[in-house]
Amino acid sequence: PIEHVIYIIKENRTYDQLFGDLRSGDGDSSLTFFPRAITPNHHALAERFGLYDRFFTNAEVSQQGHPWSTAGYVTDYIEKTTPDIYRGRRPEPDETGDADEPVAGYLWDAAMRKHLTLRNYGEASEPLAHARDAADQKETEGVVRALLPSLQPYTNPSYPPFDVAVSDRRRADVWISEFHEYERSGKLPSLEILHLPRDHTAGVRAGMCTPRACVADNDLALGRIIETLSHSKFWSTTAVFVLEDDAQAGPDHVDSHRSVMLAISPWARGGVAHRFVNTTDVLATIEEILGLDAFSQFDHFGRPLRELWRSSPDTRPYTALTPAQPLAELNLASAPGARESAHIDLAEEDRVDDAVFNHILWRAMKGSQVPYP
């Protein structure tokens, strides 16, 4: 009965950082950064549709995380160059058609080969410079282009790609606006891919959203997306998969790769699942739903989440919850970690030293008196 898949990729949180406070799962609340007051929608969605406390990302860092999440493996080129990229010794490849492209392509290529309808929101995309209307000399909003020419026709030109300064609620607004157009036409793409990245946070950089506010914004954006979908006629034929591209953002008491994954659908049975799940198992599930071919041995031999489904759907709509955390809270120049955060590069994912960034976040969330684990 599932005809549509919405695949949401987020940035860099561990399981314990979000769900360590959920007693039903294997969590350590002493490592929780963003409890229910900050992430009420993540918590409510996990409690209704399923809590997966043994989901592990395949990737170590985002340079690998996005290929693992969209191509089912990482090329030899990326594996060999990632260490040097992360110690700042060479620039990242920025030319399409480089040796870092997977041989069988990406998830969107698999959908194209099956002639499925497709829409991309922010994944593998970059902003163009702000343009100026020659007629009235007014600033117009910059448009977005895909990094790969084949993905360009399917990419929403108004959906902001990675930029921590941009609210995820703004991204949700763009998605919701286009979703209403699909409702009017009665045709929703078979596959939608969304990048929802603000849970990456900006550390404690002065003038940017605090880590709590960044993640609360991300939480509310996700809640609004699910609310909109669940009040539509497409709800009973859709499955939403939400995961982090990697879990490099700090400690977890089980393993540093353990992360956040949600499977949201009227057909999801809910409860707590302790089975091992990794990124390529989620891809294998998407492939099985949409009839796609695998693009690596890892998703080919992945275990689809067949036990996830119930025999009849629970079509009750979901209502988004507003976090108790103030969404407009900004970092102060006097805050602990602000000086170190002033030097971090937030232009793209992972342009910052992980060890430095994670220590900054730990002090911001736990205080300087609690030792870093």
Side-chain angles (χ1 to χ4, degrees):
I2 299 175
E3 302 171 3
H4 313 281
V5 169
I6 299 174
Y7 185 34
I8 300 177
I9 303 171
K10 306 196 308 105
E11 285 291 329
N12 301 10
R13 300 269 69 87
T14 69
Y15 176 94
D16 276 337
Q17 285 179 334
L18 256 73
F19 290 151
D21 60 334
L22 280 173
R23 294 185 178 181
S24 55
D26 181 9
D28 183 345
S29 59
S30 71
L31 300 177
T32 302
F33 283 7
F34 309 108
R36 189 185 297 269
I38 299 173
T39 55
N41 291 288
H42 283 78
H43 283 69
L45 291 168
E47 288 171 334
R48 174 173 169 182
F49 297 104
L51 177 66
Y52 294 83
D53 64 1
R54 284 295 182 272
F55 169 71
F56 300 85
T57 63
N58 290 67
E60 305 286 340
V61 291
S62 289
Q63 181 73 12
Q64 305 161 321
H66 287 270
W68 270 115
S69 300
T70 59
Y73 84 112
V74 173
T75 64
D76 183 64
Y77 178 87
I78 291 180
E79 288 288 2
K80 288 178 176 175
T81 57
T82 291
D84 278 347
I85 289 171
Y86 276 74
R87 66 191 183 108
R89 294 300 180 90
R90 64 176 298 278
E92 298 180 34
D94 57 4
E95 302 259 340
T96 57
D98 214 332
D100 61 330
E101 289 192 19
V103 65
Y106 298 89
L107 181 60
W108 47 83
D109 295 308
M112 293 176 203
R113 285 192 288 269
K114 292 294 184 179
H115 306 290
L116 298 181
T117 49
L118 168 70
R119 194 60 164 164
N120 176 50
Y121 300 88
E123 181 63 24
S125 303
E126 64 180 359
L128 294 176
H130 284 264
R132 210 173 259 285
D133 190 317
D136 56 11
Q137 294 297 299
K138 289 182 179 179
E139 287 273 345
T140 58
E141 186 178 79
V143 295
V144 174
R145 70 177 178 190
L147 295 173
L148 301 172
S150 62
L151 189 57
Q152 179 61 32
Y154 307 96
T155 297
N156 185 299
S158 300
Y159 188 93
F162 181 86
D163 184 347
V164 179
V166 176
S167 167
D168 277 343
R169 285 171 292 153
R170 165 64 184 143
R171 294 182 175 91
D173 288 340
V174 174
W175 181 86
I176 289 169
S177 176
E178 188 161 78
F179 183 83
H180 288 323
E181 294 180 18
Y182 292 134
E183 282 192 291
R184 287 189 286 271
S185 69
K187 297 179 180 179
L188 182 69
S190 300
L191 174 63
E192 292 191 343
I193 303 170
L194 284 74
H195 191 199
L196 209 64
R198 214 182 190 198
D199 61 336
H200 179 283
T201 83
V204 194
R205 177 177 288 185
M208 298 286 283
C209 56
T210 64
R212 292 179 177 87
C214 284
V215 175
D217 171 65
N218 176 268
D219 177 81
L220 182 55
L222 176 63
R224 290 180 57 219
I225 288 169
I226 302 304
E227 178 181 67
T228 300
L229 170 65
S230 71
H231 283 84
S232 77
K233 61 184 177 183
F234 299 118
W235 178 225
S236 63
T237 57
T238 302
V240 182
F241 296 93
V242 184
L243 52 73
E244 310 283 329
D245 71 313
D246 61 72
Q248 70 189 78
D252 182 273
H253 86 279
V254 172
D255 186 90
S256 62
H257 301 83
R258 195 172 68 135
S259 190
V260 174
M261 192 275 284
L262 295 168
I264 303 164
S265 174
W267 296 93
R269 68 169 64 249
V272 180
H274 299 298
R275 66 152 272 191
F276 174 88
V277 187
N278 65 5
T279 307
T280 47
D281 291 334
V282 176
L283 285 174
T285 307
I286 294 172
E287 292 161 6
E288 189 164 81
I289 291 171
L290 296 179
L292 305 179
D293 297 324
F295 22 70
S296 81
Q297 67 267 38
F298 300 103
D299 54 320
H300 175 77
F301 291 107
R303 292 192 303 151
L305 290 159
R306 293 172 186 155
E307 71 278 13
L308 161 68
W309 314 112
R310 52 194 297 157
S311 58
S312 59
D314 176 1
T315 57
R316 289 174 298 149
Y318 177 79
T319 301
L321 304 171
T322 301
Q325 164 65 40
L327 299 174
E329 184 178 69
L330 301 178
N331 292 314
L332 301 176
S334 59
R339 180 177 297 179
E340 297 97 317
S341 297
H343 303 292
I344 62 178
D345 186 350
L346 296 171
E348 294 183 18
E349 304 95 318
D350 297 355
R351 289 280 186 91
V352 55
D353 184 292
D354 288 340
V356 172
F357 196 58
N358 290 339
H359 278 79
I360 289 172
L361 284 177
W362 179 267
R363 290 197 303 272
M365 305 308 298
K366 298 294 186 180
S368 58
Q369 303 303 312
V370 181
Y372 187 84

